[in-house]
Amino acid sequence: MMTTAAFIRRGLASFKDEESGKPTFRILDHGDSGCLPVVAAMLNPELEWSYDCIDMQHVLAMSHWYVSGYGLSFKHPVTGEELPLFTDLPGSSTMFRIVVKANLTADLANDLLNAFRDALACLDRSDGAFTSMRHTNKAHQHHANHVC
């Protein structure tokens, strides 16, 4: 499982923005040694995407991949104020994680990386449509607003 996680981690780290050459993703986990078979990353905030990891989660799900996306903020239990989880990132930041299980073969890991490529291309073509969908009533979204 650690080998498969390392493969996915290296694959994500190899993604580059075509214009700037900067990495598409910022890897957040500890790396290949002494950790769980989990890959944690975020879209590189330097690239100022019009979408986030939650949008990417939804597009990946259309390819039957469930990659958990998380917002990096929390509601204060007393005031209800939305606060960032970390001091070095704004509360609007998001991240995702991939839990590698024993049945995730090398072929499936390669398929997942291809699904990431396709999802990024879809999101680039969507011109912010996923961001606008995020702020609508989820009960009415279902799959009617597919962009890709």
Side-chain angles (χ1 to χ4, degrees):
M1 292 184 295
M2 295 301 287
T3 303
T4 305
F7 175 79
I8 294 168
R9 192 177 293 108
R10 281 191 310 273
L12 292 174
S14 74
F15 285 38
K16 304 283 186 230
D17 177 60
E18 290 181 16
E19 281 185 33
S20 68
K22 292 181 179 181
T24 300
F25 298 106
R26 181 186 293 174
I27 304 299
L28 302 174
D29 62 71
H30 188 266
D32 298 336
S33 62
C35 66
L36 297 171
V38 173
V39 178
M42 67 188 315
L43 288 163
N44 185 348
E46 293 177 33
L47 297 173
E48 299 179 359
W49 304 100
S50 63
Y51 47 86
D52 64 18
C53 295
I54 309 300
D55 301 323
M56 192 170 53
Q57 169 186 308
H58 294 299
V59 177
L60 286 166
M62 289 189 263
S63 298
H64 306 286
W65 282 104
Y66 185 73
V67 174
S68 304
Y70 302 96
L72 299 180
S73 64
F74 70 99
K75 285 195 187 235
H76 188 283
V78 175
T79 67
E81 181 184 4
E82 192 82 15
L83 298 170
L85 279 174
F86 304 101
T87 58
D88 60 340
L89 290 170
S92 59
S93 299
T94 59
M95 55 92 56
F96 64 91
R97 73 177 175 138
I98 302 163
V99 177
V100 178
K101 296 183 178 183
N103 63 347
L104 185 61
T105 64
D107 286 341
L108 287 172
N110 196 52
D111 185 69
L112 175 59
L113 291 173
N114 287 330
F116 268 97
R117 278 186 196 87
D118 294 345
L120 291 167
C122 170
L123 288 163
D124 286 341
R125 287 190 312 270
S126 75
D127 195 30
F130 276 87
T131 302
S132 64
M133 285 173 51
R134 197 176 328 126
H135 299 289
T136 61
N137 182 345
K138 298 219 182 269
H140 293 87
Q141 276 185 19
H142 196 51
H143 294 288
N145 292 335
H146 276 178
V147 176
C148 302

